[in-house]
Amino acid sequence: VLLGLFGSALGLGLAYAAMRVLVAMAPAGLPRVNEIGIDGPVLLFTFGVALFASLLFGSMPVLKYAGTHLGSGLREGGRTLSDSRQRHRARNTLVIIQVALALVLIISSGLMIRSFRALTHVDPGFSRPDEIQTFALAIPEAEVPEPEKVVRMDEEIIQKILAIPGVSLVGLGNRVPMDGFQNINPVYAQDKNYAEGQIPPLRSLRFVSPGYFKALETPLVAGRDITWTDVYEMRPVAIISENFAREYWGTPSNALGKRIRSSSKDDWLEIVGVSGNLRDEGVNKDASSAVSMPILVRHLFDQNPMIQRGVKFVIRTPRAGTPGFMKEIQQAVWSVDSNLPLANVRTLDYYYRNSMARTSFTLVMLGIAGSMALLLGIVGLYGVIAYSVSQRTREIGIRMALGAKPWELTGMFVRQGLLLTGVGVVCGLGAAFALMRLMSSLLFGVNAADPLTYAVASVGLISTAFLASYLPSRRVAVVNPVEALKSE
């Protein structure tokens, strides 16, 4: 019980450190993250588990030998004899279980590492998100009722921001990539036939100003960008994503000049450009098939005209995220209208990293759990080999007296440790193969049964187990056969 309680106290310290890491890595939106901590109920639960486990495992020898005949008990406990086979089997079984569980968690961590690495190599459709400053702005109808005046204020704000030192490009839209906002509607193509009652595929609708794609560094693979003349004259034009163009017309250039609309009541919009694909829902999701329209559109969704009063600015600058820069941004906006508050002031890198937060958070959790499991497995293996060496001192002395070399005896104990590890690895591989399918929803760009991850995790665990077996086995070399036989 004392050993269990002391171990639990150490475990609490490790848990506290791990908890701090997890809370720091927690993805945005995780509910009640501020309430995660070690409080009274946690301490009481830990004490209860420690006491129960200590009593359970501490009483097992008592229950085992309570009905044993005295003679057999004395024979098993003699100092001149090695441990009984039952004790060996019990210890070895526990080590095998520890190794198997450690391998399962290490494989889980390995798969998450590969998933995270795959996510970092995905092209999100924009570049250098840490150099893109974003913020939201809304111009209420009560203050500025005229739609054209709203557009002129937006353009004036863009020009003011462009005058700030360090700013190279500015655009705005009703959303920025990966901000969690979606506007999805069916989109009809004029040159496609639809059966009666058939609804075309849903597309992500985006409303943008000139320069929006340039600020994101999203390439235009065909055609041209929207112009301010298009906006003010409410020309029926649109830019579609590359995946939309390839789905309907084969190549981006073939899509130019085609016409689309969202409903029978809307005007047909001419496709004047094709942009690169943007992963609006995160790097772990496919790029959305999108249609981008000017921020001022005639005849859309029963509105004539439709104006985007709430917009998000996209500013390309190496000063993104600095307090001084945001103060200059605020002054630029207020020079146009002092009643406009800035909201959701963040860099695009914030949204980009949040899209990978779930994977990175799970990676850290599994990494901590895997490290603890590996440590427990290695400690258990070390303890079994060290205890076996101490209990077989007389045998070692006899073997050495008969001419056995120290390295041969060391190898005997190392082989014992590797045998236990091998059995544990086989059991762990089977369990991992069965359980990893439950992780499929968390993985990206890697199969749940990825052979490379399984192989590397197994080899790494076996290598660590070799070291854990070799260190206590070295004690064989310092055993004096004469002294060993005398002491026994």
Side-chain angles (χ1 to χ4, degrees):
V1 170
L2 286 175
L3 285 174
L5 293 178
F6 279 123
S8 298
L10 177 60
L12 272 174
L14 293 173
Y16 178 78
M19 180 202 67
R20 302 288 293 183
V21 174
L22 287 176
V23 171
M25 293 288 295
L30 187 68
R32 302 171 62 184
V33 66
N34 295 327
E35 298 179 29
I36 299 175
I38 297 178
D39 52 14
V42 172
L43 292 173
L44 187 61
F45 174 79
T46 304
F47 176 75
V49 170
L51 192 61
F52 173 78
S54 302
L55 290 172
L56 176 64
F57 290 99
S59 61
M60 285 175 66
V62 178
L63 298 174
K64 179 180 178 182
Y65 291 104
T68 305
H69 293 295
L70 181 61
S72 61
L74 291 174
R75 282 196 300 272
E76 287 188 1
R79 293 179 64 230
T80 59
L81 297 175
S82 296
D83 239 0
S84 70
R85 291 182 179 179
Q86 289 181 332
R87 290 186 181 180
H88 272 300
R89 280 197 296 266
R91 279 196 301 270
N92 292 347
T93 300
L94 289 175
V95 170
I96 289 171
I97 293 173
Q98 286 177 321
V99 170
L101 292 175
L103 182 63
V104 171
L105 288 169
I106 292 171
I107 289 174
S108 301
S109 300
L111 291 174
M112 293 308 300
I113 289 172
R114 296 203 65 190
S115 293
F116 188 78
R117 188 172 183 274
L119 287 174
T120 59
H121 286 78
V122 170
D123 180 11
F126 50 81
S127 65
R128 296 175 292 162
D130 57 319
E131 294 184 5
I132 299 178
Q133 181 69 58
T134 72
F135 68 90
L137 199 67
I139 301 176
E141 185 176 4
E143 184 174 343
V144 185
E146 302 87 354
E148 183 177 336
K149 188 175 180 181
V150 172
V151 175
R152 295 198 180 279
M153 288 179 65
D154 287 334
E155 184 183 10
E156 187 177 357
I157 291 173
I158 288 176
Q159 296 304 321
K160 295 283 186 180
I161 294 175
L162 278 171
I164 298 175
V167 174
S168 56
L169 296 165
V170 182
L172 61 85
N174 66 322
R175 59 170 302 186
V176 296
M178 304 181 187
D179 64 356
F181 177 77
Q182 288 188 354
N183 185 2
I184 299 177
N185 280 275
V187 174
Y188 295 84
Q190 190 179 33
D191 61 340
K192 302 295 178 181
N193 295 320
Y194 302 94
E196 186 176 352
Q198 179 185 0
I199 298 177
L202 298 176
R203 313 291 177 181
S204 177
L205 300 189
R206 190 184 293 117
F207 300 89
V208 301
S209 75
Y212 176 86
F213 292 109
K214 283 185 179 180
L216 292 174
E217 294 188 352
T218 301
L220 283 176
V221 295
R224 64 173 178 85
D225 196 359
I226 292 170
T227 66
W228 285 111
T229 302
D230 293 331
V231 178
Y232 286 117
E233 295 183 1
M234 290 183 278
R235 293 177 179 175
V237 296
I239 295 175
I240 65 172
S241 59
E242 183 179 359
N243 51 8
F244 184 10
R246 293 189 182 279
E247 178 187 346
Y248 266 23
W249 296 287
T251 64
S253 58
N254 286 341
L256 298 178
K258 300 296 191 296
R259 304 212 296 173
I260 57 175
R261 66 182 179 184
S262 186
S263 74
S264 59
K265 297 180 180 180
D266 300 334
D267 292 338
W268 288 106
L269 305 176
E270 180 185 353
I271 299 172
V272 296
V274 179
S275 70
N277 298 324
L278 278 170
R279 292 181 180 260
D280 285 326
E281 299 178 41
V283 289
N284 61 330
K285 303 290 185 182
D286 293 335
S288 57
S289 180
V291 175
S292 299
M293 293 173 273
I295 55 175
L296 182 61
V297 184
R298 196 191 311 272
H299 297 144
L300 186 66
F301 302 144
D302 294 326
Q303 297 185 41
N304 184 19
M306 182 176 183
I307 178 66
Q308 298 300 308
R309 294 184 174 274
V311 294
K312 292 186 176 180
F313 283 76
V314 179
I315 306 165
R316 172 73 64 176
T317 173
R319 300 174 60 195
T322 61
F325 177 67
M326 284 313 304
K327 187 175 181 180
E328 293 180 57
I329 291 287
Q330 190 176 59
Q331 291 173 348
V333 173
W334 286 357
S335 68
V336 177
D337 189 335
S338 59
N339 295 322
L340 298 179
L342 279 60
N344 298 326
V345 179
R346 296 186 176 99
T347 64
L348 188 58
D349 193 52
Y350 168 85
Y351 299 109
Y352 175 70
R353 292 187 180 278
N354 272 358
S355 72
M356 297 189 290
R358 183 188 183 195
T359 301
S360 61
F361 184 65
T362 308
L363 170 61
V364 172
M365 270 202 309
L366 289 174
I368 293 173
S371 301
M372 292 296 103
L374 178 62
L375 178 62
L376 289 175
I378 296 308
V379 167
L381 189 60
Y382 182 96
V384 165
I385 300 302
Y387 188 70
S388 182
V389 171
S390 67
Q391 290 296 299
R392 298 172 68 178
T393 302
R394 180 174 180 269
E395 178 190 339
I396 293 169
I398 294 173
R399 288 177 180 270
M400 294 183 73
L402 293 175
K405 303 297 183 185
W407 61 268
E408 293 176 332
L409 297 173
T410 299
M412 179 179 68
F413 289 102
V414 171
R415 284 193 297 274
Q416 178 189 351
L418 290 181
L419 177 62
L420 295 176
T421 304
V423 176
V425 166
V426 171
C427 296
L429 286 174
F433 186 78
L435 294 174
M436 287 308 102
R437 299 183 184 278
L438 301 176
M439 285 186 58
S440 298
S441 62
L442 297 175
L443 302 179
F444 178 84
V446 61
N447 193 289
D450 179 56
L452 179 61
T453 303
Y454 281 61
V456 171
S458 301
V459 171
L461 182 57
I462 291 172
S463 302
T464 309
F466 171 81
L467 186 62
S469 302
Y470 174 72
L471 292 177
S473 300
R474 292 189 308 167
R475 293 168 53 186
V476 171
V478 299
V479 173
N480 187 321
V482 177
E483 294 297 327
L485 295 175
K486 277 184 179 180
S487 64
E488 291 293 336

